Amino acid sequence: MGLAVCVFCSSSSRIDQRYLELATEVGAELARRGHTLVSGGATVSCMGAVAGAARAGGARTVGVIPENLVRIEISDEDSDELVVTEDMRSRKAEMDRRSDAFLVLPGGLGTLEELFEIWTTRVLGVHDRPLVILDPYGLYEPLRGLMTHLLEEGFNRPTVFDAVGWTASIDEAFDLLAKSPVSIQPTAEDYAESETG
């Protein structure tokens, strides 16, 4: 049975074509594996590319977009279901509620914010859904280095890397999404040794 996979990715129009091609390949593979796409509900950049490719492959697509972005006419009206929320916070909550797993593609500040929220709640044991970062071009390598440094300095829990899969391969990313994730049970010692924000 397919998963509802939430894909976090760029909505920037200034990015290199290779990122759009990656999003298109991800959408096609998502459809091939029989999954449903949950996305940010916009037609622009990687967000539009992944949704268009998923639909072209026969996947069901659910777009979740805040009202203010609908007004500037970038909403994905071709979505099988387009959910309009009051604001960005309720958008994230709705995407979270509808998703069985989370896949992070290259993106900017908004993508990082979405990643960190899901990652943090995973480390805290709030949920146990798979979280995978797909990074074939090394965009997030500085982030991985920073998280390692924060771990070494005691600001991250040792479970920080247990909570996320990290890969350069589309096939491996989807394999990780379908796999039962490591169960994370924070202890009082975890809280004493590190910070969460």
Side-chain angles (χ1 to χ4, degrees):
M1 183 167 170
L3 301 170
V5 178
C6 182
V7 176
F8 297 132
C9 59
S10 177
S11 60
S12 172
S13 60
R14 299 180 297 277
I15 59 174
D16 190 274
Q17 181 67 25
R18 63 185 174 166
Y19 297 116
L20 296 173
E21 291 168 1
L22 175 66
T24 299
E25 290 173 29
V26 164
E29 184 63 16
L30 181 145
R32 191 185 74 75
R33 295 197 183 215
H35 299 319
T36 294
L37 172 69
V38 178
S39 75
T43 56
V44 292
S45 190
C46 293
M47 210 179 287
V50 73
R55 273 194 298 276
R60 173 175 163 75
T61 61
V62 178
V64 184
I65 191 166
E67 191 173 13
N68 68 306
L69 294 185
V70 172
R71 289 198 297 269
I72 60 173
E73 299 181 346
I74 63 165
S75 56
D76 186 2
E77 301 295 332
D78 292 328
S79 293
D80 294 292
E81 184 180 358
L82 185 65
V83 180
V84 179
T85 64
E86 185 177 348
D87 53 32
M88 293 292 279
R89 287 187 175 184
S90 53
R91 175 206 215 178
K92 287 193 304 175
E94 186 66 14
M95 291 171 76
D96 183 354
R97 186 182 73 78
R98 288 172 172 264
S99 302
D100 301 315
F102 302 90
L103 179 60
V104 182
L105 304 186
L109 188 61
T111 304
L112 286 172
E113 191 231 358
E114 292 162 334
L115 164 62
F116 279 126
E117 181 167 330
I118 297 300
W119 197 351
T120 300
T121 51
R122 179 82 176 85
V123 170
L124 291 172
V126 174
H127 71 88
D128 63 357
R129 290 166 289 171
L131 168 63
V132 176
I133 296 172
L134 175 58
D135 189 25
Y137 305 114
L139 183 76
Y140 292 128
E141 281 306 309
L143 172 61
R144 195 202 294 246
L146 174 61
M147 299 305 282
T148 299
H149 181 58
L150 291 173
L151 176 62
E152 292 166 349
E153 293 294 318
F155 291 103
N156 276 339
R157 291 191 170 87
T159 52
V160 69
F161 287 111
D162 294 335
V164 62
W166 213 300
T167 181
S169 160
I170 293 175
D171 281 342
E172 185 180 15
F174 279 98
D175 289 346
L176 289 169
L177 290 172
K179 199 173 161 187
S180 294
V182 174
S183 179
I184 297 174
Q185 300 294 329
T187 66
E189 188 176 319
D190 288 330
Y191 284 94
E193 289 179 353
S194 59
E195 295 181 2
T196 59

